[in-house]
């Protein structure tokens, strides 16, 4: 899965994936996000490198100017 993020200005940001229990399972980005368009790839693995179970996950982008949440379904390949 690829997440495309467009930022109008540089700001601190985090892109974190959560399972349905609200547990953070993967942080795809944390730091200064420059203005422009950015791509972040997720391979279905946790921060520890293990494959995650099929199911629903939430991608949460938090920036200084707000938060965006998207729901997604991870399916077996």
């Amino acid at each position: 899965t690829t997440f495309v993020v467009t930022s109008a200005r540089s700001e601190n940001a985090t892109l974190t994936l959560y399972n349905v229990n609200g547990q953070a399972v993967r942080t795809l980005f944390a730091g200064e996000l420059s203005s422009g368009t950015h791509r972040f790839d997720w391979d279905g693995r946790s921060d520890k490198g293990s494959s995650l179970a099929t199911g629903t996950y939430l991608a949460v982008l938090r920036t200084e100017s707000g938060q965006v949440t998207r729901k997604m379904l991870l399916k077996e390949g």
Side-chain angles (χ1 to χ4, degrees):
T1 300
T2 300
F3 299 93
V4 179
V5 175
T6 302
S7 180
R9 62 184 177 99
S10 294
E11 57 186 336
N12 289 317
T14 58
L15 177 56
T16 307
L17 305 180
Y18 295 87
N19 63 21
V20 292
N21 296 320
Q23 300 165 312
V25 295
R26 180 80 183 260
T27 299
L28 294 178
F29 180 82
E32 180 77 17
L33 186 68
S34 60
S35 62
T37 300
H38 307 273
R39 298 170 65 86
F40 302 99
D41 294 321
W42 180 43
D43 58 4
R45 297 185 181 276
S46 71
D47 277 334
K48 297 178 182 177
S50 59
S51 294
L52 292 169
T54 296
T56 302
Y57 292 85
L58 299 174
V60 180
L61 175 68
R62 288 186 179 93
T63 67
E64 296 169 14
S65 57
Q67 174 177 307
V68 176
T69 303
R70 296 288 183 261
K71 184 171 28 173
M72 68 188 137
L73 179 65
L74 178 64
K75 299 190 301 184
E76 287 187 31

